[in-house]
Amino acid sequence: MCFNYISRSDSQKKRLRGDGLKALADYMKSDQCRNVFLMVMSHCRISTAAGIPDLRSPKTGLYANLARLNLPDPEAVFQIPFFRNNPVPFYTLAKKIYPERYRPALTHSFIKLLHSRGLLHTCFTQNIDTFERKAGVPEDKIVEAHGSFATQRCIDCKTPYGDDKMKKAIREEEIPRCEGCGGLAKPDIVFFGESVPDKFRASEPSLQEADLLIVIGTSLTVHPFASLVYSVPEDCPRVPINLVEVGDFDKADDLVFTGKCDEIVRALCRELGWEEELDKAWAETAGNVEGAEAAGELDEAERIESEMDRVTKDLERVNDPDEKGDREI
């Protein structure tokens, strides 16, 4: 197990007593820590793997497989006007990345454990994969900034579309249509040209209640999601956990950890005395994986899950107002 703790401030701490994981664990066990918020991006297991094919790899990337569909550009998959005219590329991609085939990472089970321990207030996530839900985190504790595959509806009349019907359509490579108006049905993923979910905006003020903010696996480059780190109280400890340093975490009680997310989370749970519970919670996620049972298939599932991480990051990029100008997200 290899990870680093980085001290960024010599100021006197206000809430923590010391540095490192032990100080964080002691604070989390104290009466001062009652409302824990998370900001999550990236498939925590896969984001640390080496040699995974890139989304844009000429031969193995998902976009390479979509090239035969004559996209004007890769981002067109996530653009509403293009989707209206040609939904085939999106549903070709959706079949590859549909969440039912994949298992949440250990870090997702850590989020569930925070809930079970009565500490989790809200988990803000940029992921579209529903892994937080699959790990057992209640829906009312999750804010999906870019939407997700959890629900779907008609893009015209907005009538919800059934879960089982959507699964069947994706599995059988059919284009789902609204039974009422005949419009195209689409998972509630935020496309270019759409606004962030109302729940995201409505939940931002609750960050003022935070006693601890844990930031896992996000680059903190896309707003308004990235700006959430500034919405917590001035003396609230902020704890980024990422492969590399990101953001500006230079307050007295900020703790910065770099390394593999799953390894850092396991080490923290060991300090908390939760490691056995963590393993049990993660073991429970094995039963909800469909269609990837053999060892070889699981290897392929992990490869494609990494591609899903890149898809989410591409959604970040096409939704970035600095790149697209008039996009609200």
Side-chain angles (χ1 to χ4, degrees):
M1 185 177 295
C2 180
F3 59 87
N4 297 308
Y5 161 69
I6 302 167
S7 178
R8 284 183 159 181
S9 175
D10 295 326
S11 303
Q12 185 175 356
K13 297 188 180 299
K14 299 177 181 178
R15 295 202 187 190
L16 301 182
R17 297 180 180 275
D19 296 314
L21 284 176
K22 185 179 186 307
L24 176 58
D26 287 345
Y27 175 69
M28 290 176 67
K29 290 186 286 187
S30 74
D31 292 338
Q32 285 185 283
C33 188
R34 286 291 178 263
N35 292 314
V36 178
F37 285 72
L38 282 95
M39 294 171 58
V40 181
M41 162 67 186
S42 169
H43 307 285
C44 304
R45 178 179 66 230
I46 298 302
S47 65
T48 63
I52 299 296
D54 189 89
L55 180 67
R56 298 176 182 274
S57 176
K59 295 182 179 180
T60 59
L62 288 178
Y63 280 152
N65 294 323
L66 295 177
R68 59 185 172 81
L69 300 175
N70 298 318
L71 296 176
D73 59 77
E75 290 84 0
V77 177
F78 306 115
Q79 294 172 349
I80 285 292
F82 183 85
F83 178 79
R84 284 185 178 277
N85 291 325
N86 183 9
V88 173
F90 173 77
Y91 280 106
T92 300
L93 181 64
K95 185 175 181 180
K96 292 286 188 181
I97 65 175
Y98 202 56
E100 67 176 0
R101 297 179 57 197
Y102 311 117
R103 183 182 182 184
L106 189 77
T107 298
H108 297 107
S109 294
F110 169 65
I111 302 171
K112 180 201 175 183
L113 193 52
L114 286 172
H115 165 68
S116 300
R117 286 279 180 163
L119 292 175
L120 180 65
H121 187 290
T122 303
C123 174
F124 289 88
T125 178
Q126 289 170 289
N127 294 332
I128 61 173
D129 53 35
T130 73
F131 279 173
E132 293 85 9
R133 296 170 185 249
K134 291 183 72 175
V137 181
E139 180 181 350
D140 64 351
K141 296 286 185 178
I142 303 169
V143 177
E144 293 159 329
H146 292 163
S148 76
F149 279 101
T151 56
Q152 49 280 317
R153 68 195 66 246
C154 174
I155 64 173
D156 291 324
C157 71
K158 309 304 179 184
T159 299
Y161 193 80
D163 294 347
D164 292 339
K165 292 178 183 177
M166 179 59 74
K167 288 179 182 179
K168 181 178 182 293
I170 290 177
R171 286 171 180 167
E172 298 180 5
E173 300 185 38
E174 300 173 347
I175 304 302
R177 289 190 174 274
C178 176
E179 296 178 352
C181 73
L184 290 165
K186 176 183 79 66
D188 289 331
I189 296 167
V190 178
F191 273 27
F192 180 68
E194 296 182 307
S195 299
V196 296
D198 292 340
K199 187 176 180 180
F200 178 84
R201 296 294 188 190
S203 300
E204 286 183 85
S206 67
L207 284 155
Q208 277 297 308
E209 303 173 34
D211 298 316
L212 175 65
L213 176 66
I214 303 177
V215 183
I216 302 179
T218 173
S219 61
L220 292 178
T221 57
V222 177
H223 294 271
F225 191 88
S227 64
L228 297 180
V229 298
Y230 305 111
S231 298
V232 297
E234 182 66 25
D235 62 345
C236 174
R238 303 177 302 172
V239 182
I241 298 173
N242 202 42
L243 277 175
V244 297
E245 291 186 64
V246 295
D248 298 315
F249 293 92
D250 53 8
K251 294 183 180 180
D253 286 296
D254 290 348
L255 298 177
V256 180
F257 297 95
T258 59
K260 296 180 179 180
C261 298
D262 282 356
E263 292 188 358
I264 297 170
V265 162
R266 178 175 291 281
L268 174 58
C269 285
R270 187 173 298 129
E271 289 285 353
L272 287 163
W274 299 357
E275 189 172 18
E276 185 175 339
E277 290 178 70
L278 178 68
D279 286 333
K280 181 179 178 181
W282 190 60
E284 291 172 354
T285 67
N288 60 12
V289 179
E290 300 178 25
E293 293 159 357
E297 290 175 329
L298 284 172
D299 290 342
E300 175 66 6
E302 289 190 352
R303 185 188 72 76
I304 295 175
E305 186 185 342
S306 74
E307 305 283 15
M308 194 170 178
D309 186 30
R310 310 306 200 278
V311 168
T312 308
K313 289 178 180 177
D314 263 48
L315 277 172
E316 277 192 331
R317 192 163 60 79
V318 301
N319 291 339
D320 189 348
D322 290 337
E323 297 206 21
K324 294 295 183 180
D326 60 353
R327 165 73 175 155
E328 179 191 357
I329 190 166

